[in-house]
Amino acid sequence: MRFRHPDGSTVHLAYCTNVHPAETLDGVLAQLRDHCEPVRRRLGRDRLGIGLWLAKDAAHALVTDPAALRGLRCELDRRGLEVVTLNGFPYEGFGAEEVKYRVYKPDWADPERLEHTTSLARVLAGLLPDDVTDGSISTLPLAWRTAYDEQRAQTARTALRTLAERLDALRELTGRSIRVALEPEPGCVVETTRDAIAPLTAIAHDRVGICVDTCHLATSFEDPHTALDDLTRAGVPVVKSQLSAALHAEQPHLPEVREALAAFAEPRFLHQTRTATPAGLRGTDDLEEALAGDTLPDAAPWRSHFHVPLHAAPTAPLTSTLPVLKSVLTRLVGGPHPLTRHLEVETYTWQALPPELRPRGRTQLADGIAAELTLARDLLTDLGLKELP
């Protein structure tokens, strides 16, 4: 979906396909048929943006076979879909029964991460619509925080500089400008937007910036205005933003609140949980750990890294951090010029929701994704953007 900003520029809105498990190119093609096109039809649009997730095997197939890449581009066109951004965070196995810590491997100190992201950039340059020259790729925020010493940090910085040089060369070769965005996430080396400033200014290249995920930002209790002001002052570009909402518990000391939270403690994904205390941010790596005894102080609200559907907040006594998303979006695109032009709805946890909230089959899932995109569209038009055909 495309929108015209009051300054005349185009802002792109997509939804991320990591909600649909697929490890191979055939699986990606099936996603387009079974999920993405039905969502577009529900929205009544001739064109729908998707934030494509390509696992390593699918990316390898596309980057090594020009005919396969042309075939994917033709299939996108045929189904009324377009791609300007990729989710390059998960490497493989995102549809596994247990993902947890595995999603952070390989990290930016491992050669596989550089090669995979380079492949994604080359693929994206071939998938961009004819009238679009700028693409974006979100990636993990360097590494999970453990086993990350100065030597690995230096290796990661070198890898990102090498990537930036390759992106420069890709621009010269294709005329397409691809930028990569570190995505701060609780528990990682770069947990907050402030954590991103030092490594990104050390790399000092405009092809490497930040992806502001509104669920992650809210989970870490960051103030949106302070976070974006800090990035602006530091000259760190917001390459893209993922529109998502975290799980919020206002009174976690109450038994009924803990019982409600327990329904969201599930075995597939990691749900880092945080609370703000007078001594600073406290947290656990997973929601189940937070609920175990007195591991996490409960005198103040908890937020958990669980991407809940944008249009359907959990029932009381829980809620979502949708107000944080709205505040971020206002700053990102509500001013005289957009701070980013790539927005991506990313709710990958539909099948991890408590059983009574999960979609039953493809039809309900498509309905839910379309409802999220409708909400995002309405927020954008309320900010003065005009939806384009």
Side-chain angles (χ1 to χ4, degrees):
M1 300 168 75
R2 298 188 187 190
F3 297 81
R4 181 74 68 212
H5 189 274
D7 75 348
S9 63
T10 300
V11 173
H12 294 266
L13 173 66
Y15 91 88
C16 187
T17 64
N18 62 353
V19 63
H20 312 304
E23 300 289 318
T24 65
L25 179 55
D26 285 344
V28 171
L29 294 171
Q31 285 178 352
L32 306 184
R33 179 194 68 223
D34 296 339
H35 300 288
C36 302
E37 186 177 9
V39 171
R40 177 183 65 76
R41 292 185 181 279
R42 278 164 175 74
L43 292 166
R45 308 303 299 165
D46 294 333
R47 173 171 54 191
L48 175 67
I50 57 172
L52 203 57
W53 172 58
L54 298 172
K56 73 176 181 79
D57 288 345
H60 180 74
L62 291 166
V63 82
T64 57
D65 185 352
L69 184 58
R70 288 193 298 270
L72 176 57
R73 172 67 185 275
C74 289
E75 191 69 2
L76 289 166
D77 292 342
R78 187 168 77 87
R79 297 193 182 278
L81 307 168
E82 66 177 13
V83 175
V84 303
T85 189
L86 300 181
N87 186 332
F89 196 135
Y91 180 71
E92 62 181 340
F94 200 62
E97 290 186 5
E98 182 177 332
V99 179
K100 299 289 185 181
Y101 295 95
R102 292 169 51 192
V103 75
Y104 306 104
K105 290 291 186 177
D107 63 35
W108 274 102
D110 296 322
E112 293 91 342
R113 178 60 64 174
L114 171 61
E115 297 311 314
H116 176 60
T117 311
T118 300
S119 295
L120 292 178
R122 292 171 178 162
V123 168
L124 181 55
L127 293 180
L128 288 177
D130 292 339
D131 61 344
V132 175
T133 58
D134 296 334
S136 61
I137 303 171
S138 48
T139 188
L140 82 162
L142 299 182
W144 186 252
R145 68 182 187 280
T146 56
Y148 190 77
D149 55 20
E150 181 52 37
Q151 182 178 356
R152 290 183 68 80
Q154 179 59 43
T155 302
R157 288 192 293 268
T158 299
L160 284 165
R161 290 192 187 100
T162 299
L163 176 67
E165 293 169 358
R166 292 179 180 179
L167 296 178
D168 281 341
L170 187 65
R171 170 64 185 269
E172 290 296 317
L173 180 65
T174 67
R176 304 297 177 90
S177 176
I178 309 299
R179 295 191 295 168
V180 170
L182 301 185
E183 180 187 330
E185 177 166 314
C188 292
V189 172
V190 174
E191 171 156 342
T192 66
T193 53
R194 184 167 293 177
D195 294 337
I197 290 173
L200 288 175
T201 52
I203 294 164
H205 201 293
D206 62 4
R207 298 215 181 276
V208 184
I210 193 170
C211 170
V212 176
D213 184 301
T214 58
C215 169
H216 302 173
L217 183 143
T219 300
S220 295
F221 286 87
E222 290 193 76
D223 176 73
H225 300 288
T226 301
L228 292 171
D229 285 345
D230 288 346
L231 293 174
T232 300
R233 278 193 296 269
V236 173
V238 181
V239 173
K240 68 183 282 189
S241 178
Q242 288 174 324
L243 307 182
S244 52
L247 190 64
H248 180 95
E250 186 68 20
Q251 297 180 298
H253 65 284
L254 296 177
E256 60 267 30
V257 175
R258 287 178 173 258
E259 182 180 356
L261 283 170
F264 287 84
E266 53 84 36
R268 186 170 176 185
F269 299 111
L270 207 60
H271 301 297
Q272 303 92 313
T273 304
R274 299 288 185 266
T275 187
T277 74
L281 201 65
R282 293 280 302 278
T284 60
D285 283 356
D286 214 346
L287 178 56
E288 189 173 51
E289 181 185 352
L291 291 168
D294 58 357
T295 305
L296 195 63
D298 60 7
W302 286 3
R303 288 177 179 173
S304 189
H305 172 218
F306 195 118
H307 290 224
V308 295
L310 302 186
H311 68 292
T315 56
L318 304 179
T319 186
S320 81
T321 60
L322 184 63
V324 176
L325 183 158
K326 293 178 179 178
S327 183
V328 171
L329 195 60
T330 298
R331 283 294 306 275
L332 287 177
V333 300
H337 303 287
L339 299 183
T340 185
R341 294 183 175 87
H342 289 179
L343 305 172
E344 179 183 59
V345 171
E346 194 211 14
T347 305
Y348 58 83
T349 44
W350 283 94
Q351 298 302 335
L353 289 166
E356 67 275 11
L357 301 179
R358 293 175 197 166
R360 295 178 178 85
R362 294 175 186 171
T363 298
Q364 287 191 5
L365 178 58
D367 289 342
I369 293 170
E372 287 194 295
L373 286 166
T374 297
L375 182 147
R377 178 190 64 195
D378 291 346
L379 292 176
L380 292 173
T381 55
D382 286 347
L383 290 171
L385 282 74
K386 180 181 178 183
E387 187 176 6
L388 299 174

